[in-house]
Amino acid sequence: MFRLLTKKNEWLLYHLPLSLGGLYLAWLQHPPGGAEFLFDLGITLLSFSGSGIFVRYYNDIFDIEADTRAGKKNLAARDTLRARIWILLSSSMLVFFPLLFLPNPGWPILLMALQHTLYILYSTPPLRWKERKLLGPLADALYGHTIPFFAAYAIGVDQGLASSHSLWVVVVVLSLFFLNGVLNILSHQLEDAKADEKGGNRTLVVQLGHDRRTGLSKILWWSLLVLTFMTLLF
């Protein structure tokens, strides 16, 4: 399990900071006591650690052949079927079991279940939204940026989303996270375009072809600049 927390650790760079941002927004609206602060933080760290393990490992199970052709590191390549099943089940339990200790676990469980479902749709053939043009970036933006923030916000608010007095703030922040998520996955696809072509992964950027990628990279650069400026103003 430790190697899955330290290898390909996008969860550490994206999911976890976003979830802590959601907690912070909830705490601004209703400052927690010391015990509640540690409780919410502990639940979030455990649940999102399990989520990070699941998504990276599950995706790699279906990318073994492509990663081998492209010369990329794959976390699942050397594991037996039994080991793969155990890792997926145990990481899923780590996602959902801590949430059961929340006073009102409904919204967090629902959102994390939606995130889990999107992971599966994104990676699993024959659906494999990863290679379904716009569905890939949209799903990645939801499970990689938007839902982690929203789920952690739900954890940090005592009575769930109904107790929020500034729901419009959450809507604006979620919109910014979603846009940033779309731009982020397209940037990653641009970086991995050659490796994906070699491995046979037909992401949206690969399907666009070389000429369109140049234009897309310019659009992404300006979009990120504008989005950053809007976030600072907000």
Side-chain angles (χ1 to χ4, degrees):
M1 275 295 183
F2 181 75
R3 70 183 175 90
L4 299 177
L5 288 172
T6 55
K7 304 292 185 181
K8 288 191 173 183
N9 58 349
E10 286 89 345
W11 73 276
L12 182 64
L13 301 175
Y14 297 108
H15 295 231
L16 200 56
L18 290 174
S19 68
L20 295 178
L23 274 179
Y24 179 67
L25 182 59
W27 291 340
L28 285 178
Q29 296 181 67
H30 112 110
E36 185 183 0
F37 168 83
L38 292 175
F39 178 77
D40 288 349
L41 183 61
I43 294 291
T44 302
L45 290 175
L46 287 173
S47 183
F48 279 86
S49 293
S51 181
I53 292 171
F54 183 91
V55 64
R56 296 310 310 156
Y57 193 79
Y58 189 83
N59 186 64
D60 274 15
I61 288 175
F62 297 100
D63 278 349
I64 292 175
E65 292 184 8
D67 287 347
T68 300
R69 289 193 296 266
K72 296 170 66 175
K73 182 180 293 184
N74 188 290
L75 298 175
R78 297 183 180 180
D79 291 336
T80 64
L81 177 61
R82 178 180 293 182
R84 292 173 188 172
I85 292 174
W86 182 85
I87 290 171
L88 293 178
L89 288 178
S90 57
S91 60
S92 296
M93 288 182 63
L94 187 59
V95 173
F96 294 103
F97 184 70
L99 300 178
L100 296 176
F101 291 92
L102 293 170
N104 298 281
W107 271 104
I109 289 177
L110 178 64
L111 290 165
M112 296 304 281
L114 175 59
Q115 182 169 302
H116 237 54
T117 302
L118 287 172
Y119 291 158
I120 294 169
L121 291 173
Y122 185 81
S123 300
T124 312
L127 295 174
R128 198 162 169 78
W129 284 10
K130 182 177 182 177
E131 298 181 348
R132 299 287 181 175
K133 294 187 176 180
L134 287 176
L135 280 178
L138 292 178
D140 191 280
L142 286 170
Y143 77 64
H145 289 74
T146 315
I147 294 176
F149 179 90
F150 205 15
Y153 177 81
I155 291 173
V157 177
D158 263 351
Q159 302 302 320
L161 301 180
S163 70
S164 170
H165 300 294
S166 302
L167 192 57
W168 68 272
V169 174
V170 181
V171 172
V172 172
V173 172
L174 283 176
S175 300
L176 290 172
F177 274 128
F178 178 75
L179 291 174
N180 183 67
V182 172
L183 297 176
N184 179 73
I185 184 58
L186 290 177
S187 296
H188 278 296
Q189 288 187 4
L190 281 168
E191 293 173 3
D192 293 340
K194 291 183 179 180
D196 284 334
E197 282 182 336
K198 189 175 180 180
N201 281 324
R202 291 186 54 77
T203 62
L204 174 62
V205 169
V206 169
Q207 294 182 54
L208 286 177
H210 182 272
D211 293 338
R212 293 180 180 177
R213 287 177 208 162
T214 303
L216 179 61
S217 63
K218 293 178 181 178
I219 293 172
L220 286 178
W221 190 89
W222 283 105
S223 298
L224 285 169
L225 185 66
V226 171
L227 183 59
T228 302
F229 182 65
M230 287 173 57
T231 304
L232 290 173
L233 284 179
F234 176 73

